[in-house]
Amino acid sequence: MEHLSLSSSLQNEIQTDNSGLPEKKIGGQGLRKKIVTKGISWQTPFPGDEVEVHFNGYIEGGASLESSRDKEVPFKFKLGQGEVIKGWDEGVATMKNGERAIFTVPPNLAYGEAGSPPLIPPNATLVFDIEMLSWISIRDLTGDGGILKKMIMEGEGWATPRDGDEVLVKYEARLETGMLVSKSEEGVEFHIGDGYLCPALSRGVKTMRKGEKAELAVKLSYGFIQKGNLAPDIESNIPPDSSLTIQLELVSWRSVTAVTDDKKVLKKIVKAGEGFDRPTEGSHVKVTYVGKLGDGTVFDRKGTDGEPFEFITSEEQVNEGLDMAIMTMKKGERATVTVDAEFLHGHDISGKLPANSLLHYEVELLDFIKEKPFWKMDTREKFEASERKKLDGNVLFKAGKFWRASKKYDKATKYIEFDHSFTDEEMCLAKSLRLSCHLNNAACKLRSGEYLEASRLCTKVLDLDPLNVKALFRRSQAYLKTSELEKAEADIKKALAIDPNNREVKLEYMELKEKQRKYDKYQAELFSTMVSKMS
């Protein structure tokens, strides 16, 4: 920073502005700040941001310094990069847009013991009047300088896209030499994470808001252009160690949600719904939807705006994948839902579809009424609801739909979980229902391979009924699957002591003994190998 002489009248102006203003300390090294004019926003710049300020200053008790106001040219620098004295880096980082403040900078945050001859003597305290005009945000998106993002124009709102979302962008990518590598003419759509153009494009877009414009400075490792995205003559002329500059605009995006963990049901929001509430299991919903095959053929159509299609969620009244997606929607939301054809198993059309087919639904949730919550029910309603959910679970279990059956049993137990208001007779009935639901749920978990959860449910039963043979038997099955042989043997022996003639338990005991025999043989062979190696 240069030290241009300033008129004494301007120095007096700064000193006058200083008087009577509240002063606060910045950090712990003696920097002081007095706000002359408050800022017009709540945001402050980050390290690496390119800030633009007006300033003038003087040496405390001495000469005047440089002034950008005299030059009528704002001063620009990158915050926190050592381009200015430490007092500036620390002080300007606290300023809001439009703010003007007086900073008193101690020698240790200015030019120290050496000073800056000939104008600034050793151990000089400096005073600056700084006005924050604006800043351009620059972010290190990778933490290693691989992708630097400079915001050119702010976007709308606060939300940003996530992995898997479908984005519409405009971009222009050039090499350091200025050579045009790739450009979107009218904009291009892609899913974040699918590798379109280069890794930096997805990384950058995930930090942007709708309408935002930014510039990405991309190093080689993040700027690798995916083959097939460029014309052959351009691709062949790109040097192997090239870096890129990408001008990028996020026009819009649609959120894509994985409804199931295996991503066999995906939902893309076309129009956002209202509020925060969503349907739950057992809700009465009103929808319109159209189901299409991959070639656009309509295979299902339900409801109109005037006469919506009404059904109860989780009652197998519609395609199970579609059912689950609707329970993630808000009132008034429109979405496209992609469902794996396996969810049509048992429907008339399922046998006519090629393997790995996808079904596409255009859905609008017009309205819904949630099932009455258990805490609003009287005792009779709680028992009726619990019995009904248990019976629903039994039907689903027999149909081999173990995950959905498990959810029904969970729901059934919740209705009668809190029994402090029940009579003695009602408490006995509630206990019987809970035991039955926990046992059935444990059977679901065993069939689904969730062995730890199965053993936990059986333990719940045994806490209520220590001599329950079914619970001991099913917990021993879970222990066998997780190779906890001693625990499995203890449960089987206890079950046989209670019911010596139980055929299922006897067969389980035989399986346990065979597994123990194989384990002992394995241990003996392992020990023999170790001894031979030692010899």
Side-chain angles (χ1 to χ4, degrees):
M1 191 183 298
E2 298 175 3
H3 316 303
L4 300 181
S5 179
L6 200 68
S7 67
S8 59
S9 62
L10 186 52
Q11 179 175 332
N12 291 335
E13 181 187 326
I14 297 175
Q15 290 170 323
T16 303
D17 285 346
N18 250 321
S19 60
L21 294 173
E23 187 175 63
K24 64 178 180 179
K25 292 181 179 179
I26 305 296
Q29 298 189 65
L31 179 64
R32 304 194 305 276
K33 174 183 177 181
K34 293 182 180 181
I35 296 177
V36 177
T37 305
K38 290 184 177 180
I40 57 174
S41 68
W42 57 269
Q43 294 172 306
T44 56
F46 287 91
D49 288 356
E50 186 176 82
V51 299
E52 185 177 61
V53 300
H54 264 315
F55 76 95
N56 45 263
Y58 66 93
I59 300 168
E60 192 172 55
S64 298
L65 302 174
E66 182 183 2
S67 170
S68 67
R69 294 186 177 95
D70 276 1
K71 297 178 180 180
E72 297 183 349
V73 177
F75 178 61
K76 296 180 182 181
F77 68 97
K78 288 182 181 176
L79 191 64
Q81 306 301 305
E83 295 182 2
V84 291
I85 59 175
K86 288 183 179 179
W88 269 55
D89 270 339
E90 291 187 16
V92 173
T94 69
M95 299 185 74
K96 299 167 185 174
N97 203 18
E99 181 180 321
R100 183 174 176 179
I102 308 294
F103 291 94
T104 303
V105 184
N108 55 302
L109 296 179
Y111 294 95
E113 295 180 359
S116 183
L119 188 59
I120 300 177
N123 297 313
T125 296
L126 309 181
V127 180
F128 291 96
D129 175 353
I130 302 177
E131 180 184 2
M132 174 65 79
L133 301 177
S134 65
W135 68 83
I136 296 174
S137 294
I138 298 177
R139 299 282 182 272
D140 184 349
L141 302 186
T142 55
D144 59 3
I147 306 175
L148 296 177
K149 174 195 164 192
K150 179 193 291 188
M151 185 189 294
I152 306 301
M153 187 176 84
E154 290 192 1
E156 305 170 12
W158 54 270
T160 56
R162 298 174 298 177
D163 282 330
D165 285 355
E166 184 182 79
V167 295
L168 173 62
V169 303
K170 295 179 180 178
Y171 74 89
E172 182 179 287
R174 292 181 180 272
L175 300 180
E176 296 166 294
T177 60
M179 174 185 171
L180 180 64
V181 173
S182 181
K183 180 180 180 180
S184 64
E185 298 298 335
E186 298 296 326
V188 63
E189 285 186 340
F190 64 91
H191 289 89
I192 294 179
D194 69 1
Y196 180 79
L197 190 68
C198 69
L201 208 59
S202 285
R203 294 284 285 266
V205 166
K206 285 200 296 184
T207 69
M208 299 175 70
R209 295 173 291 165
K210 183 180 177 181
E212 182 178 327
K213 294 181 181 180
E215 180 180 283
L216 304 181
V218 185
K219 287 186 178 177
L220 171 66
S221 53
Y222 298 97
F224 175 73
I225 302 294
Q226 297 292 324
K227 291 193 179 294
N229 285 325
L230 307 176
D233 59 326
I234 295 178
E235 197 168 278
S236 60
N237 286 319
I238 296 178
D241 57 348
S242 295
S243 295
L244 289 174
T245 298
I246 303 175
Q247 303 295 330
L248 183 62
E249 178 184 357
L250 176 58
V251 180
S252 63
W253 86 87
R254 294 175 179 175
S255 293
V256 178
T257 305
V259 178
T260 57
D261 291 339
D262 58 9
K263 297 185 178 179
K264 289 188 175 181
V265 182
L266 298 173
K267 183 191 79 170
K268 179 167 63 179
I269 297 174
V270 176
K271 176 191 161 216
E274 56 190 67
F276 299 95
D277 211 8
R278 295 176 173 86
T280 53
E281 182 184 319
S283 296
H284 183 110
V285 300
K286 296 180 180 180
V287 301
T288 63
Y289 73 80
V290 177
K292 298 179 181 179
L293 302 179
D295 61 3
T297 303
V298 175
F299 69 88
D300 195 7
R301 186 190 297 271
K302 290 282 178 21
T304 63
D305 289 343
E307 291 186 36
F309 174 59
E310 301 183 30
F311 70 97
I312 306 297
T313 56
S314 296
E315 295 293 340
E316 297 199 293
Q317 296 177 17
V318 297
N319 176 323
E320 183 182 358
L322 177 61
D323 200 353
M324 289 189 286
I326 287 172
M327 285 192 282
T328 70
M329 297 175 70
K330 300 173 185 176
K331 182 180 177 181
E333 181 179 322
R334 282 206 311 269
T336 58
V337 178
T338 305
V339 180
D340 193 286
E342 72 176 47
F343 286 97
L344 273 183
H345 180 69
H347 292 247
D348 292 341
I349 193 175
S350 60
K352 303 174 184 177
L353 297 174
N356 303 317
S357 293
L358 295 178
L359 312 174
H360 305 277
Y361 292 91
E362 297 166 4
V363 193
E364 182 173 6
L365 176 59
L366 301 174
D367 201 0
F368 65 91
I369 300 172
K370 281 187 170 182
E371 187 178 40
K372 189 176 183 179
F374 72 90
W375 46 270
K376 285 188 175 181
M377 295 179 175
D378 59 31
T379 301
R380 179 184 60 80
E381 288 175 317
K382 287 179 181 178
F383 277 101
E384 287 178 353
S386 182
E387 285 281 6
R388 188 167 59 250
K389 294 297 179 188
K390 178 192 165 186
L391 291 174
D392 290 343
N394 293 347
V395 171
L396 290 166
F397 184 87
K398 288 176 182 176
K401 298 178 179 179
F402 306 117
W403 180 82
R404 293 192 62 202
S406 174
K407 301 289 280 186
K408 295 289 186 183
Y409 295 132
D410 278 336
K411 194 73 176 284
T413 55
K414 283 182 180 176
Y415 288 117
I416 51 172
E417 194 169 10
F418 302 102
D419 57 4
H420 54 274
S421 62
F422 293 172
T423 64
D424 289 345
E425 184 180 351
E426 288 166 347
M427 288 180 77
C428 287
L429 180 57
K431 178 183 175 182
S432 176
L433 261 173
R434 281 199 295 270
L435 288 174
S436 179
C437 288
H438 286 328
L439 281 170
N440 292 353
N441 204 354
C444 291
K445 299 299 184 184
L446 284 171
R447 296 293 186 92
S448 303
E450 299 176 64
Y451 304 120
L452 291 176
E453 191 62 21
S455 64
R456 186 188 68 82
L457 287 162
C458 291
T459 300
K460 276 189 172 185
V461 173
L462 292 166
D463 287 342
L464 296 171
D465 181 9
L467 302 180
N468 193 294
V469 173
K470 275 189 178 180
L472 289 166
F473 171 61
R474 286 178 185 166
R475 191 168 72 173
S476 71
Q477 288 181 303
Y479 286 149
L480 267 177
K481 293 295 185 182
T482 55
S483 296
E484 297 177 86
L485 303 185
E486 290 183 2
K487 288 182 179 181
E489 184 172 22
D491 278 353
I492 290 173
K493 284 182 175 179
K494 189 172 182 180
L496 286 173
I498 299 166
D499 185 3
N501 298 317
N502 191 303
R503 184 173 178 276
E504 284 186 318
V505 179
K506 285 181 177 179
L507 290 172
E508 189 75 8
Y509 193 42
M510 290 172 63
E511 184 181 338
L512 171 67
K513 287 299 180 184
E514 178 61 19
K515 200 163 188 175
Q516 285 176 329
R517 186 187 66 77
K518 288 180 179 179
Y519 181 74
D520 291 342
K521 183 181 178 182
Y522 166 75
Q523 289 290 96
E525 289 174 351
L526 184 64
F527 180 73
S528 176
T529 302
M530 289 173 60
V531 170
S532 64
K533 285 184 177 180
M534 291 171 65
S535 301

